[in-house]
Amino acid sequence: MSDQDVPKEEVEEQLAPYVIEGARSSRSKCKTCRKKIDMGALRIGILIEGPYGTGYMWHHLKCAARRQFDRVEEAYELEAWKEAKTAPDGVPAIEELRGLAEKADEQRKNKKELPHAEPAPSGRSKCKHCNELIAQDAMRVVLGRDVEFGRQVRTSPINVHPRCVAAELLTPDCGTESAGFAAALRANSSGVSPERIEEALTEIGTLPE
């Protein structure tokens, strides 16, 4: 009998608030990174009350640590691996996961808002509009592109040539607005000289309204 087949009242009595285990199949997906959780990979189940009853939302253990460390820490305090049907191998120390959480927090703090301009650090990246390489140290503009994940839409950063910005803003899945674009680009492009930002804006030219 699967978890879905257990009566709601019985599930509420049996299920712990957290479980840490090796995935028993490869069918579940991580609710943080949206990728498949491979069989045997460490995962954490966080108990929720949903529209169809009570059940676990599954995450890779390290993904959960990066996004909601307080829940992982609570699961460790409850020794949630003891709730697994089979004791998992290789459960990392909480300090290792704390380090991942701190690093993720630092990255979020340093993350630039969209749109912004920056010199390309190498000559390997391609413009997502024209698919041509962006030369090293040439200015590139980072816009948002809306990507669907199930029923959710997330805005992911994409690199484009300044000359391609106007055309990219007209695409249906562009997540960046043309209104207030120049002001936003100046405000968000920290660490770039005003001269280079104005150079990029000149190349961008007139934007669609």
Side-chain angles (χ1 to χ4, degrees):
M1 180 182 292
S2 68
D3 290 346
Q4 299 296 326
D5 298 324
V6 179
K8 180 178 177 181
E9 295 79 5
E10 189 175 341
V11 169
E12 290 176 343
E13 292 176 3
Q14 292 180 354
L15 295 183
Y18 304 100
V19 59
I20 294 173
E21 65 176 19
R24 286 170 275 161
S25 71
S26 297
R27 295 191 300 271
S28 63
K29 282 189 176 182
C30 174
K31 298 302 181 183
T32 300
C33 72
R34 300 286 172 177
K35 295 180 180 178
K36 180 180 71 174
I37 301 176
D38 292 330
M39 184 174 180
L42 281 175
R43 66 180 184 177
I44 180 172
I46 299 175
L47 192 65
I48 64 161
E49 178 69 43
Y52 303 107
T54 303
Y56 287 119
M57 295 284 279
W58 295 106
H59 308 256
H60 290 110
L61 181 58
K62 291 185 177 181
C63 286
R66 293 185 181 98
R67 294 294 293 272
Q68 40 187 330
F69 179 73
D70 55 334
R71 307 295 292 273
V72 174
E73 189 172 38
E74 186 176 347
Y76 267 62
E77 290 172 356
L78 296 173
E79 299 183 326
W81 48 86
K82 292 183 178 179
E83 303 296 336
K85 291 185 177 180
T86 302
D89 295 325
V91 176
I94 190 65
E95 289 307 317
E96 178 182 340
L97 300 182
R98 190 189 308 278
L100 292 177
E102 291 172 352
K103 184 177 180 180
D105 284 342
E106 189 64 26
Q107 289 174 338
R108 283 191 287 270
K109 289 177 184 177
N110 294 332
K111 186 177 180 180
K112 292 182 179 179
E113 297 293 326
L114 301 178
H116 64 264
E118 62 188 12
S122 72
R124 296 190 299 271
S125 65
K126 285 187 176 182
C127 172
K128 294 299 182 181
H129 185 80
C130 70
N131 206 37
E132 295 180 6
L133 288 171
I134 301 174
Q136 183 176 9
D137 199 47
M139 291 300 290
R140 67 184 185 187
V141 179
V142 186
L143 304 177
R145 177 174 287 175
D146 292 337
V147 181
E148 290 188 12
F149 289 89
R151 296 182 180 179
Q152 296 183 344
V153 176
R154 296 183 182 179
T155 302
S156 299
I158 61 168
N159 301 319
V160 298
H161 290 113
R163 65 175 182 268
C164 294
V165 167
E168 180 62 29
L169 290 177
L170 291 173
T171 60
D173 57 355
C174 184
T176 300
E177 300 290 337
S178 57
F181 183 89
L185 195 77
R186 293 186 181 102
N188 297 337
S189 303
S190 58
V192 181
S193 70
E195 292 78 14
R196 297 214 69 182
I197 295 172
E198 295 308 314
E199 171 192 327
L201 285 169
T202 298
E203 189 175 353
I204 289 169
T206 303
L207 296 178
E209 297 182 358

